[in-house]
Amino acid sequence: MSVSKEFARYVTGLAYGNMPAEVASFAKICILDWLGSALAGADKPPIQMMAQVVHELGGEKQATLLTGGRSSVTQAALVNGAASHIVELDDIHKASIIHAGTVVIPAALAIAEWKQKSGRELIEAVVAGYEVCYRIGEAVSPSHYYFWHNTATCGTFGAAVAASKLLGLCEEKIVHALGSAGTQAAGLWEFIEDGAMSKQLHPGKAAMNGILAALLADRGFTGASRILEGDRGFVRAMSQEADPERMTEGLGTTYKIMENSFKIHASCRHTHHAIDLVVEMVSRYGIAWRDVEKIRVQTYQVALTITDNPEPASVYAAKFSLQYCVALALVKGSAGLSDFTEEALHDPDIRELMRRVEVSVDPDIHARYPGKWEAAVELVLADGTTMQQHAEYPKGDPENPVTHKEIVRKFRAMAADQPQDKIDHFLDVIGRLEQVPDVTMLFAQMKGR
Amino acid sequence: MSVSKEFARYVTGLAYGNMPAEVASFAKICILDWLGSALAGADKPPIQMMAQVVHELGGEKQATLLTGGRSSVTQAALVNGAASHIVELDDIHKASIIHAGTVVIPAALAIAEWKQKSGRELIEAVVAGYEVCYRIGEAVSPSHYYFWHNTATCGTFGAAVAASKLLGLCEEKIVHALGSAGTQAAGLWEFIEDGAMSKQLHPGKAAMNGILAALLADRGFTGASRILEGDRGFVRAMSQEADPERMTEGLGTTYKIMENSFKIHASCRHTHHAIDLVVEMVSRYGIAWRDVEKIRVQTYQVALTITDNPEPASVYAAKFSLQYCVALALVKGSAGLSDFTEEALHDPDIRELMRRVEVSVDPDIHARYPGKWEAAVELVLADGTTMQQHAEYPKGDPENPVTHKEIVRKFRAMAADQPQDKIDHFLDVIGRLEQVPDVTMLFAQMKGR
């Protein structure tokens, strides 16, 4: 049986009723976390440019744009996918290096809204989409990632799966949808040299392409039956690995969405472990930053290569400064999206405290990277007290899971520009998503619908 | 200077006023020939499926769909590009293996119609788009073609260039458009194993993606500045060749559109030389097929590997049967789209004549392939007369150019399902395109506008 056929059989067979309760709960957290990222990104210039293009092109009012108004499902997925990948707080799967939320969820949500699907159907589609794209991403890792943005390329299959599931496509049509998805898969890393906006184009476009693949398949449009493992297919053309069988190993017995990592702090992932420890110590022991004479952070070399910066000159650079992030967390007790401001960048207290931060490599910690992303933090107080804590994984990794409360707090920060009643509405609807008969109610309060 | 920057400078500098008259005339032939292919393909099932999806998605009525009605420029380009690549009679550039017409022209035409551009501006955009995608295709040949459908991948750049030219983008924005085009470039050959409809999806989608890249760039959306030659760019990711400088060698001094080949006969290109010779002998000497006792065709091995088939079972297979094609040409005096019918497939005269066709490899001809695609045909008549002719290139290659009359005849056959006055209108408007102030008049007679 072809890989596409196995995936198609898995997708048609997946049912909310057979899903463990924690998987459905976890999917709801993914959707909430995604929505927060998309709301926080919607007003950023690249997303506004894209929304302007979409409004100019026009389309049936099928699905909500988080930038305002509605458009066709393909164009709504384009804008919403792009919006969710700009503040860099979206979820990530370490093994496949895919930000699945940014592709699978906008595609699923657009179709679910258009076809007035239930919350349970949305959850099924998201779980299926994550599963398929994570499996494809793992099979082409690590070589694929050198040239290709896995989120975009592998994500296209995930979006096609999510859309196909919600459209109720049969096995045969899902195979065709995967064929049309794979032959549209694109997204080169070259943009990173310029910091160009392709970073946002990629997930949005992958979501759009996945929907197009599913809509075409629904009409009978055919695609390659062996797009993944075929001689001139995705895996052989775009990676050095050649183990396509790995893609379907244990398929149907796993819920890979549960391997997802969330980002709580609005900074580089390599600063998160240290921030976690500082936030915990501040909270547990009621430490005032003025009493701290020395902060020693030990971690692995890669973390320092990327984040050892005692003089960050911009808010963006501050997110990649371990010294800044640790000092910020000590002063504010958090390091969320609303903590990284121009004001905080120049805050003399934080700048003063940064001088007391010492960063270094610990050989044992370094030896365990990248299996573990560890840090140890030691605080030396003015009264001579010394406190030490150590973390093996940053908060939000499956091994150090985030609490529901923390995700809600993060969501409120991400959605801070929205009216309070709208934030509450989103939290309410997603909180009881499995009971929602029609997901259009999620957007009932969006302007311009 | 980056490759994209050089291309951008070339594109902004290109002007109808500086173009040799034969280039503009040639571009008009490309447009006419493309339109014929698109009209002939518009009613085919895959194109109808795609048009249904596009109608469902909706969009501003910016550009004409050759399937009827109008839609947004992106979606019109999608449908029209796909329509033009299904009857397999569209133009081809041998050195880059690109059917540029199917991508560049639908993109250019959609924007030109939307923005009510003149015929001269349309010609400029088409010439620029062909130039850029041919140059990119040559630079990544032959390795790219193993996995990737050059028409789709390289064509995306051509579509972006054509759209950018018509939108009047500055150099800097064209660089961004090329960046966004390259990072969307996709299209795997894997579909060929199933004969899947991706063949049509590819050019349509490339046209759509190119337009999207240009529209985004127009709004200030950025892309990779070195998308072609960069370390993680198009050439290194998707080919084994690494000679990006070749792309811009002599740029501005060439009109590569003039290297275009046209297909006059509706069959496999490897049957065209023999058909040409038979048609010419029939026409010149007034030969009646009943008087022909033997037809000997000598050619290169590849031609026979693909087209030696004495018993084709379908109209499609007949187009890949050298014996059938030669017999058809002898009976009908042509081998156009309207000659390959179910009726002609079972025509006892043609079937009888096929038994008199002998095909073989000529070692000298074989040795000169693929530089030349040659054939020699010998007719032995009942009265003992023997006639021989030899062709070095099939008709329609730049070395054996097609006449304007032949292209017009082909167009009339391709558009045969359209009302006569509409066919005449298309021929009239394209014939005097350089004098047309607003290309929307081309579609004045389309239904549903």
Side-chain angles (χ1 to χ4, degrees):
Chain A
M1 205 189 298
S2 74
V3 174
S4 292
K5 185 84 174 168
E6 285 194 66
F7 278 142
R9 186 156 295 177
Y10 156 78
V11 172
T12 54
L14 186 77
Y16 179 88
N18 301 331
M19 204 180 281
E22 74 260 29
V23 174
S25 293
F26 197 92
K28 284 168 26 177
I29 290 178
C30 293
I31 294 168
L32 182 69
D33 193 59
W34 172 83
L35 183 61
S37 278
L39 290 169
D43 64 348
K44 300 285 181 283
I47 312 308
Q48 289 293 314
M49 294 171 196
M50 192 178 271
Q52 286 161 10
V53 169
V54 160
H55 284 301
E56 191 164 40
L57 295 171
E60 293 293 329
K61 295 185 187 307
Q62 293 164 343
T64 299
L65 301 168
L66 294 175
T67 50
R70 284 192 290 169
S71 189
S72 61
V73 283
T74 42
Q75 294 180 167
L78 173 69
V79 171
N80 295 340
S84 64
H85 198 47
I86 193 162
V87 298
E88 302 278 350
L89 276 160
D90 43 300
D91 64 8
I92 169 91
H93 183 236
K94 285 187 292 184
S96 64
I97 332 178
I98 293 177
H99 299 273
T102 65
V103 185
V104 172
I105 297 177
L109 209 50
I111 301 285
E113 184 183 359
W114 179 35
K115 297 293 185 185
Q116 299 186 275
K117 293 291 177 178
S118 70
R120 292 186 181 193
E121 289 168 303
L122 176 62
I123 290 169
E124 286 174 350
V126 168
V127 170
Y130 271 63
E131 184 80 21
V132 169
C133 71
Y134 282 178
R135 286 175 164 273
I136 295 171
E138 286 179 358
V140 295
S141 288
S143 68
H144 181 74
Y145 192 71
Y146 182 79
F147 290 116
W148 304 99
H149 191 182
N150 294 18
T151 297
T153 52
C154 308
T156 310
F157 294 98
V161 159
S164 296
K165 180 72 176 168
L166 284 158
L167 291 168
L169 300 196
C170 65
E171 257 182 53
E172 190 189 342
K173 286 184 172 178
I174 294 177
V175 169
H176 292 307
L178 288 168
S180 289
T183 210
Q184 293 180 81
L188 292 163
W189 272 114
E190 180 58 28
F191 74 87
I192 204 84
E193 294 298 318
D194 309 280
M197 300 173 187
S198 314
K199 187 86 192 288
Q200 288 81 53
L201 176 62
H202 288 174
K205 195 69 196 326
M208 181 184 199
N209 290 345
I211 289 179
L212 182 62
L215 291 177
L216 286 170
D218 197 15
R219 298 276 178 179
F221 200 91
T222 61
S225 63
R226 292 158 55 88
I227 191 66
L228 285 156
E229 75 276 33
D231 182 50
R232 299 205 269 181
F234 181 82
V235 171
R236 291 207 61 226
M238 297 164 82
S239 75
Q240 303 303 314
E241 286 77 22
D243 191 9
E245 286 181 13
R246 193 178 157 197
M247 284 189 259
T248 50
E249 237 170 51
L251 182 65
T253 64
T254 58
Y255 290 98
K256 295 186 81 71
I257 194 171
M258 305 292 288
E259 298 171 8
N260 214 40
S261 294
F262 298 98
K263 287 176 76 171
I264 295 298
H265 313 304
S267 56
C268 173
R269 190 69 173 169
H270 294 296
T271 68
H272 284 205
H273 31 44
I275 296 172
D276 288 337
L277 295 171
V278 168
V279 167
E280 193 183 332
M281 286 193 270
V282 165
S283 151
R284 186 179 300 178
Y285 304 112
I287 297 164
W289 72 267
R290 288 177 202 280
D291 296 335
V292 178
E293 295 220 320
K294 188 64 72 188
I295 307 110
R296 293 197 182 92
V297 181
Q298 292 188 295
T299 186
Y300 44 90
Q301 182 58 55
V302 169
L304 294 196
T305 304
I306 298 177
T307 69
D308 178 7
N309 179 3
E311 290 291 347
S314 67
V315 173
Y316 186 77
K319 295 180 176 183
F320 289 82
S321 161
L322 185 54
Q323 291 90 339
Y324 182 89
C325 290
V326 163
L328 177 79
L330 201 46
V331 171
K332 301 212 168 201
S334 62
L337 192 60
S338 55
D339 296 310
F340 285 92
T341 60
E342 277 298 325
E343 200 189 340
L345 177 67
H346 304 292
D347 183 321
D349 292 348
I350 295 173
R351 289 283 171 176
E352 159 62 26
L353 192 57
M354 282 178 72
R355 285 184 215 110
R356 305 181 205 166
V357 178
E358 281 177 16
V359 301
S360 62
V361 171
D362 176 90
D364 293 337
I365 287 177
H366 179 71
R368 291 189 290 267
Y369 177 84
K372 294 181 177 179
W373 294 31
E374 298 177 59
V377 170
E378 183 180 87
L379 300 185
V380 181
L381 304 188
D383 65 2
T385 311
T386 295
M387 296 175 179
Q388 281 191 321
Q389 284 214 18
H390 171 244
E392 291 187 301
Y393 300 94
K395 172 89 81 178
D397 270 15
E399 301 85 353
N400 183 11
V402 73
T403 65
H404 187 256
K405 200 173 149 190
E406 285 165 317
I407 285 284
V408 169
R409 191 189 307 136
K410 176 185 168 190
F411 178 79
R412 287 192 180 278
M414 305 276 273
D417 289 344
Q418 310 289 325
Q420 194 57 48
D421 61 341
K422 204 163 122 186
I423 297 176
D424 292 340
H425 175 76
F426 284 138
L427 284 165
D428 171 53
V429 174
I430 296 176
R432 55 185 176 84
L433 194 59
E434 72 280 9
Q435 296 153 25
V436 168
D438 175 354
V439 299
T440 57
M441 70 180 297
L442 183 63
F443 299 114
Q445 304 196 340
M446 292 294 287
K447 65 182 173 184
R449 283 195 81 242
Chain B
M1 201 189 300
S2 74
V3 174
S4 293
K5 184 85 174 166
E6 285 194 65
F7 277 141
R9 186 156 296 176
Y10 156 78
V11 172
T12 54
L14 186 77
Y16 179 86
N18 300 330
M19 204 179 280
E22 75 260 28
V23 174
S25 293
F26 197 92
K28 285 167 28 177
I29 291 179
C30 292
I31 294 168
L32 182 69
D33 194 58
W34 172 81
L35 184 60
S37 278
L39 290 170
D43 65 348
K44 299 286 181 284
I47 313 309
Q48 289 294 313
M49 293 171 195
M50 193 178 269
Q52 286 162 9
V53 169
V54 161
H55 284 300
E56 190 164 41
L57 296 171
E60 293 294 328
K61 295 185 187 306
Q62 294 165 340
T64 299
L65 302 168
L66 294 175
T67 49
R70 284 193 290 168
S71 189
S72 62
V73 283
T74 42
Q75 293 179 170
L78 173 69
V79 171
N80 294 341
S84 64
H85 198 46
I86 192 163
V87 297
E88 302 278 350
L89 276 161
D90 43 301
D91 65 6
I92 170 91
H93 183 237
K94 283 187 292 182
S96 64
I97 330 177
I98 293 177
H99 300 272
T102 64
V103 185
V104 172
I105 298 177
L109 209 51
I111 301 285
E113 184 183 357
W114 179 36
K115 298 292 185 185
Q116 298 186 274
K117 293 291 176 179
S118 70
R120 292 186 181 192
E121 289 169 302
L122 175 62
I123 290 169
E124 286 174 350
V126 168
V127 170
Y130 271 64
E131 185 80 21
V132 169
C133 71
Y134 282 177
R135 285 174 165 274
I136 295 171
E138 285 177 0
V140 296
S141 288
S143 67
H144 182 73
Y145 193 70
Y146 181 79
F147 289 118
W148 304 98
H149 190 183
N150 295 17
T151 296
T153 53
C154 308
T156 311
F157 294 98
V161 159
S164 296
K165 180 72 177 168
L166 285 159
L167 291 168
L169 300 195
C170 65
E171 256 182 53
E172 189 189 343
K173 286 184 173 178
I174 295 177
V175 169
H176 292 309
L178 289 168
S180 289
T183 211
Q184 294 180 82
L188 292 163
W189 272 115
E190 181 57 28
F191 75 85
I192 205 82
E193 294 297 319
D194 308 282
M197 299 172 188
S198 313
K199 187 83 191 288
Q200 287 83 54
L201 176 62
H202 288 173
K205 194 71 194 324
M208 180 184 199
N209 290 344
I211 290 179
L212 182 62
L215 291 177
L216 286 170
D218 197 17
R219 299 274 177 180
F221 200 92
T222 62
S225 63
R226 293 158 54 88
I227 190 67
L228 284 156
E229 74 276 32
D231 182 49
R232 299 204 268 181
F234 180 80
V235 171
R236 292 206 61 227
M238 297 163 82
S239 75
Q240 301 304 312
E241 286 76 21
D243 190 9
E245 286 180 14
R246 193 179 156 196
M247 282 188 261
T248 51
E249 238 170 49
L251 182 64
T253 65
T254 56
Y255 291 98
K256 295 186 83 72
I257 193 171
M258 304 291 287
E259 298 172 6
N260 215 37
S261 294
F262 297 98
K263 288 175 77 171
I264 295 298
H265 313 304
S267 55
C268 173
R269 190 70 172 168
H270 294 297
T271 68
H272 284 205
H273 30 42
I275 295 172
D276 289 337
L277 295 172
V278 167
V279 168
E280 194 184 331
M281 287 194 268
V282 166
S283 150
R284 185 179 300 177
Y285 304 111
I287 296 165
W289 71 267
R290 288 179 203 279
D291 296 335
V292 178
E293 295 222 318
K294 187 67 71 188
I295 307 113
R296 293 197 182 91
V297 181
Q298 292 189 295
T299 187
Y300 44 90
Q301 181 59 55
V302 169
L304 294 196
T305 304
I306 299 176
T307 68
D308 177 7
N309 178 3
E311 288 292 345
S314 67
V315 172
Y316 186 77
K319 295 179 175 184
F320 290 81
S321 162
L322 185 55
Q323 291 90 338
Y324 182 88
C325 290
V326 163
L328 176 79
L330 201 46
V331 170
K332 300 212 168 202
S334 62
L337 193 60
S338 54
D339 296 311
F340 285 93
T341 59
E342 277 296 326
E343 200 189 340
L345 176 68
H346 303 292
D347 183 322
D349 292 348
I350 295 172
R351 290 283 170 175
E352 160 60 26
L353 193 56
M354 283 178 73
R355 284 181 218 114
R356 305 182 205 165
V357 179
E358 280 177 16
V359 301
S360 62
V361 171
D362 176 272
D364 294 336
I365 288 177
H366 179 71
R368 291 188 290 268
Y369 178 86
K372 294 180 177 178
W373 294 29
E374 297 177 59
V377 171
E378 183 181 87
L379 301 186
V380 181
L381 305 189
D383 66 1
T385 309
T386 297
M387 299 176 177
Q388 280 190 320
Q389 285 214 18
H390 171 244
E392 290 188 301
Y393 300 94
K395 172 90 80 177
D397 270 15
E399 300 86 352
N400 184 12
V402 73
T403 65
H404 187 257
K405 201 173 146 191
E406 285 165 319
I407 287 284
V408 169
R409 191 188 308 137
K410 176 184 169 190
F411 178 78
R412 288 192 180 279
M414 305 277 272
D417 290 344
Q418 310 288 326
Q420 194 56 45
D421 61 341
K422 203 164 124 188
I423 297 175
D424 292 339
H425 175 76
F426 284 138
L427 284 165
D428 171 55
V429 174
I430 297 177
R432 57 187 176 82
L433 194 60
E434 71 281 8
Q435 296 153 25
V436 168
D438 175 354
V439 299
T440 56
M441 71 180 295
L442 184 62
F443 298 114
Q445 304 195 340
M446 292 295 288
K447 64 180 174 184
R449 285 194 80 242

